[in-house]
Amino acid sequence: MTSAAQQAGQSARHLGGAPVIRMIDVHKWYGEFHVLRDINLDVARGERIVICGPSGSGKSTLIRCINRLEEYQKGRIIVGDVELTNNIKRIDEVRREVGMVFQHFNLFPHLTILENCTLAPIWVRKIPKKEAEATAMRYLERVKIPEQAHKYPGQLSGGQQQRVAIARSLCMNPKIMLFDEPTSALDPEMVKEVLDTMVSLAMEGMTMLVVTHEMGFARQVADRVIFMDQGQIVEMNTPTEFFSNPQHERTKLFLGQILH
Amino acid sequence: MARTPPVQSPPPDRGDATGSWLYNPAVRGAAYQVALAAAVVLILYEASTNAIENMRRLGIVSGFGFWNAPAGFDINQRLISYSSTYSTYGEAFWVGLLNTLLVASAGIVLATVIGFVVGIARLSRNRIVSFLAACYVEFFRNIPLLLQLYVWYNAVLRALPAPRQSLSTADAVFLNNRGLFVPAPVFGEGSGLLLVAAVLACAAIAVFGRWARRDQDRTGRQHATGLVSLALFAGFMALGWFAAGRPVTFNVPDLRGFNIVGGLQIYPEFVALLLGLSIYTASFIAEIVRAGMLSVSRGQTEAAYSLGLRPGITQRLVIIPQAMRVIVPPLTSQLLNLTKNSSLAVAIGYPDLVQVFMGTVLNQTGQAIECVVITMLVYLLLSLLTSLAMNIYNRRVAIVER
Amino acid sequence: MTTSGKTASAAYLRTTVAPPERPPPLTSGPLAWLRENLLSSPLNVALTLAGLYIVYVLVPPAVRFLLVDAVWTGEDRNACLVSAAGQPVGACWAFVASRLRYFVYGAYPDGQLWRVNLVFALCAAGIVWLLWTRAPRKDLGAIFFFGLFPVAAVVLLYGWPAIGLPHVHTSLWGGVVVTLVVAFAGIVVSLPFGVLLALGRRSRLPLVRLVSVTFIEFWRGVPLITVLIMANTMLPLFLPGNMSPDKLLRPLVGVALFASAYMAEVVRGGLQAIPKGQFEGAASLGLNYWQTTRLVVLPQALRIVIPGIVNTFIGLFKDTSLVSIVGIFDLMRTIEVSLADPRWATPVTAASGYAFAAIFYFVCCFGMSRYSIAMEKRLATGHKRQETDR
């Protein structure tokens, strides 16, 4: 763990005035199944949060509520100064400012890498094509694959595809990035290249919510680690405390299982 | 569409010293092929000598001499001039072929439209709509097309009133058991100007479309291309219409005595065949459309939404282009099926290629081989052209994919 | 919530577990379902109303015609005339009932009907044996259905005076019997022939490939009705002069050739789905081409394409109705002929006859397609299990 990263994390948290995401008493049901229970979470600007927990604990559902890929039945979620309601305009407003990276990349297979990156800026932000392409190339360079710009997603490796997916989100210039298990569909040798990209993004002060089991990443960049179980936030702490001194039985059990 | 994997070439023959040549795969392969060739040649030889012998016995003179002989029978629906008094069998062939193409192309349009509407309705979140669409699909595709044609022709259209009691709209459109009568356009002097206007309108739409795309590339502004195109077309046509002094008049059908006079008569055979073919084929197309839309994973929609794309644009730019790749090949084969199924016309007396040429002409001339061969060649040609086009499409899509 | 964490500070520990609660009212249950699926937006409400209107327009008249106002008994047309019944008349089932024997057996002689019934029973037994997934000894079932049964059926239906079964000429066969004979002949010939063609199309021998491809593409390129007309007019020409093939045999040949081409393409799909490793594995065990094909490839490929085979058979079953156009008395033709009977001439006779045919075909085809879908699901789960096993 670099002390620089830790430092950046601390300062970012202290920087934050009003939280950029507020989740207040959020509950969600799938039919009769209570999948999110009593979620209260404030995220400060520039804060990096890692969410972990056993499968089915509701961690993906939680971050998918933030850009309203999932509806919730009770509670409030406020992103920036927009409260999510059923109003389509507000949902659009939030989605424009919140980027998301998926487990299975979800690149558009019929479009080139460059077109993947320019689609939303052109049609949502109404940016001229040249400009959108220039921005896209800049981000593709940042994720270190500018030479693949004119290929199709199917021609790239998983790691490259995931980096493109990150670049594609960044092209919309989001204020918040959500990562839904970004490395769990990757072959082991490709995990690092994606994590490196995410670390450098964190260094620049992006607000990030990351669902992942990469505990090294959590130690390195997270300001807070959240452990979820049965749809609830069970424990939340700084990475140092969280890993060295877990409080809850379930947390201990979980860490015991994945840290070997 | 799956493709045949590359054929594995036989291993190089190393002249096994101990083994007999009987166990040499190359020799065996050659033997199989020689045997097959011999069998095919034998069958063809037997069939042709038998045919020659039989025809000699029956006094049939083979050849295409009948092509230019006078036909002497009437065909009610014809797209080119034809009359029993002066036309030849050759002309009857063209009349039949054009009738096949007419009902097939009308059917292709109608079936595609119904199929897409039902297929999308099948995916509706509204349970009543999706259930009705499912009922449509299951009902129409599990009943033979021939039965459906009989129902349309014998039970529905025959049950319509006689001309005296026609169902009519505004005294211009009449529906009765002799068919549908609509005003026939009569193109007077200056009608050509309308054609010019239409061509100009299309050109203008193309120019506008290009400009709109360029302008979006340059400035990011989006344009309502569809609306503008519609307006352009309407404007140009109106301009042409008045500039030419309203050149087109309509010959309105009229009830006189016991029949309808004038107008354009659309025969019940055509209507029954068109309805039957379209509704039947649409039930298959609907399933293809549904499968195509479902083949695009939910993740694609979610990725587009999370980028802030609205549902309409997501459908247009992300979902439909991907679904179309899955839809187009089986859709084409269904449309080809529709074209081939139009030969069921013979059952209800619509004068298509099979009814005219393989039916009447064959029976009148007795030239079975010639009529059958020509008719089959026409359908084969259509099939081959279609699969050629499909192969080209698949290759293009495949390259883009990987 | 008392258990809420103070989320602004870094550390939080949940002390009491939040128990699962029931969802708030109107977010689950039938009312929520209604709102979600039928009334979620103005457009959705409009669609719901339109859908209900379509149901209202179609269903009550159909029920009234088929059941409520239907005439179930009667001797002749008088039973189904409006004047006689004194009320609107629906389907004239009395007509169907009086003609049912003709629809099922055609003109097959009265004393010999047991032969047809026996064939029906054997056919049903064979189908159950083959299609019921838990039936034992499928291999014997296949030999029975594709080997013994066809011979038995021909002997029973056509007759063999030597064993006391008098000849019944095919011109007396009719109705459902003929429909089934045509469909069955199609499947019995097309399955083995289709397998051969599919293997031929993937052969490494160029001439074999050429012949197979030409054969398959030819029959797939032309409409069935042209094939039937060809069989009717040209088959006698191609055979030696004194041989005039039976009138029923001609369309059977046409249907069988036509179906083989389609079956070949279905089987080819299955062959392509067999991974290359299977061929390599078989080769490494020292199996030759025919052993590999018979023992390794076909058992797997045919299992995969069972749904495709059933679907092809559904198409074939519907297509058998086309033989009525070339003068064969299948179910379709017997109904058409009966409609012209003046003793039953009423305004509803045609509709009743067609409704009967539609119900017959629909029940058969829909049943088969459900079976095929169920098989597809079974196969899909079977594959998944294989994948997770690895």
Side-chain angles (χ1 to χ4, degrees), chain B residues 43-94:
Chain B
I43 291 173
L44 291 181
Y45 173 78
E46 271 297 312
S48 48
T49 48
N50 282 335
I52 291 168
E53 171 62 22
N54 284 328
M55 287 198 296
R56 200 176 49 78
R57 197 165 45 82
L58 296 170
I60 304 171
V61 182
S62 68
F64 293 93
F66 72 99
W67 190 264
N68 289 320
F73 64 91
D74 244 320
I75 304 176
N76 63 5
Q77 180 185 310
R78 50 197 178 244
L79 296 179
I80 52 175
S81 106
Y82 175 92
S83 157
S84 61
T85 52
Y86 58 78
S87 292
T88 63
Y89 288 123
E91 284 167 297
F93 167 83
W94 290 112

Side-chain angles (χ1 to χ4, degrees), chain C residues 48-361:
Chain C
T48 303
L49 290 178
L52 288 176
Y53 179 72
I54 292 176
V55 172
Y56 169 76
V57 168
L58 292 180
V59 175
V63 171
R64 224 174 298 139
F65 179 82
L66 293 175
L67 299 173
V68 179
D69 293 341
V71 178
W72 300 87
T73 53
E75 289 306 306
D76 57 16
R77 64 194 290 265
N78 290 324
C80 298
L81 286 175
V82 183
S83 51
Q87 59 177 21
V89 174
C92 185
W93 297 131
F95 157 71
V96 174
S98 83
R99 285 304 190 127
L100 196 57
R101 186 203 172 281
Y102 184 54
F103 291 162
V104 176
Y105 302 102
Y108 211 87
D110 270 326
Q112 308 293 327
L113 287 188
W114 64 270
R115 287 157 58 175
V116 181
N117 291 333
L118 185 58
V119 170
F120 282 158
L122 288 175
C123 181
I127 289 174
V128 169
W129 197 345
L130 283 183
L131 295 190
W132 186 37
T133 47
R134 263 176 288 169
R137 294 308 302 268
K138 285 273 164 72
D139 47 346
L140 284 186
I143 291 173
F144 167 73
F145 197 62
F146 293 105
L148 290 179
F149 172 64
V151 177
V154 169
V155 169
L156 279 168
L157 289 178
Y158 193 69
W160 188 3
I163 59 167
L165 294 175
H167 270 309
V168 177
H169 194 261
T170 54
S171 58
L172 296 176
W173 304 11
V176 173
V177 175
V178 166
T179 294
L180 291 181
V181 164
V182 176
F184 187 78
I187 193 88
V188 165
V189 176
S190 71
L191 208 49
F193 206 36
V195 169
L196 275 184
L197 284 169
L199 290 172
R201 191 165 188 168
R202 286 168 57 85
S203 166
R204 61 185 170 80
L205 307 174
L207 190 64
V208 174
R209 224 163 43 231
L210 179 73
V211 170
S212 307
V213 169
T214 311
F215 186 92
I216 293 171
E217 293 307 326
F218 174 77
W219 298 111
R220 279 164 47 88
V222 296
L224 177 56
I225 185 68
T226 64
V227 176
L228 294 175
I229 294 177
M230 179 176 94
N232 234 11
T233 58
M234 280 168 69
L235 207 55
L237 286 181
F238 285 144
L239 293 173
N242 46 9
M243 268 175 69
S244 179
D246 184 274
K247 279 267 196 299
L248 179 60
L249 191 63
R250 298 179 193 179
L252 284 187
V253 172
V255 166
L257 293 174
F258 188 78
S260 301
Y262 282 84
M263 201 57 90
E265 285 302 275
V266 171
V267 175
R268 184 165 75 113
L271 292 177
Q272 277 168 343
I274 306 292
K276 222 176 142 199
Q278 293 292 318
F279 294 92
E280 289 164 358
S284 75
L285 291 172
L287 299 180
N288 67 27
Y289 174 81
W290 287 107
Q291 287 170 326
T292 309
T293 303
R294 192 164 55 86
L295 301 172
V296 179
V297 177
L298 278 183
Q300 299 185 56
L302 289 182
R303 191 164 308 141
I304 299 174
V305 296
I306 288 176
I309 293 175
V310 176
N311 284 339
T312 310
F313 185 67
I314 296 174
L316 177 63
F317 190 77
K318 286 186 292 178
D319 279 348
T320 58
S321 58
L322 267 63
V323 300
S324 66
I325 298 176
V326 291
I328 303 298
F329 279 81
D330 75 326
L331 174 63
M332 206 59 239
R333 186 80 191 270
T334 54
I335 289 177
E336 276 286 292
V337 169
S338 300
L339 295 184
D341 182 352
R343 281 175 304 155
W344 283 102
T346 75
V348 293
T349 307
S352 309
Y354 291 141
F356 171 73
I359 292 169
F360 172 78
Y361 283 110

Side-chain angles (χ1 to χ4, degrees), chain A residues 29 32 34 40 232 234 236, chain C residues 7 12 14 18 21-22 28:
Chain A
W29 285 264
E32 293 287 306
H34 200 170
N40 287 279
Q232 309 158 57
V234 170
M236 171 157 66
Chain C
T7 46
Y12 163 77
R14 181 176 288 279
E21 291 168 25
R22 302 249 323 138
S28 76

